Amino acid sequence: NEFMQRVCGDATIEAIRTAKEVGVSQFGFVSSAQVYEGSVGLKLPASMPMHGYFQGKLRAEKELLGSYPEGHVIVRPGFIYGLRDVMGGGRMVPLQFVGGPISFM
């Protein structure tokens, strides 16, 4: 959770602030479809693995809205479903239960 807060929140917030400091006029951010008021993702207890992910994304969105009120884009893609072969050998894992990224060829 702490790692995800740093990656999805702190690192993005630092990127937004740095971009603003050097005069970047627009900023785009890929967030999550589960980052909105009342979402299940934001209601997860701190003990859940994805808590830091969603909270970090939320903090980054708030920073972006404050820093770029007229020059921002926030994309909130939905979750990727299906099976993924992890570690080779045909071990198929349903992404909806793991939350892992999909690889494209």
Side-chain angles (χ1 to χ4, degrees), residues 2 7 9-11 13 17-18 20 36 44-46 49 52 57 75 79-80 86 99 105:
E2 185 179 317
V7 171
D10 299 341
I13 290 168
R17 290 177 180 168
T18 300
K20 191 72 171 174
Y36 62 89
L44 290 175
K57 294 280 190 181
V75 179
F79 202 81
I80 299 170
V86 294
M105 290 190 205

Side-chain angles (χ1 to χ4, degrees), residues 1 5 39-55:
N1 279 329
Q5 282 274 11
S39 73
V40 173
L42 293 179
K43 292 179 183 177
L44 290 175
S47 61
M48 297 296 289
M50 295 298 286
H51 173 83
Y53 174 83
F54 293 123
Q55 293 299 320

Side-chain angles (χ1 to χ4, degrees), residues 8-104:
C8 297
D10 299 341
T12 304
I13 290 168
E14 184 62 31
I16 292 166
R17 290 177 180 168
T18 300
K20 191 72 171 174
E21 286 175 15
V22 300
V24 173
S25 63
Q26 298 175 331
F27 198 100
F29 176 57
V30 179
S31 188
S32 167
Q34 282 296 319
V35 177
Y36 62 89
E37 190 173 333
S39 73
V40 173
L42 293 179
K43 292 179 183 177
L44 290 175
S47 61
M48 297 296 289
M50 295 298 286
H51 173 83
Y53 174 83
F54 293 123
Q55 293 299 320
K57 294 280 190 181
L58 176 65
R59 290 189 309 109
E61 281 193 20
K62 287 180 178 180
E63 181 72 25
L64 180 56
L65 291 169
S67 296
Y68 288 92
E70 301 294 324
H72 70 273
V73 172
I74 297 174
V75 179
R76 292 180 177 161
F79 202 81
I80 299 170
Y81 289 87
L83 297 175
R84 178 174 183 195
D85 183 4
V86 294
M87 299 168 53
R91 292 185 176 162
M92 304 306 281
V93 175
L95 295 177
Q96 63 269 28
F97 297 124
V98 177
I102 191 167
S103 298
F104 291 99

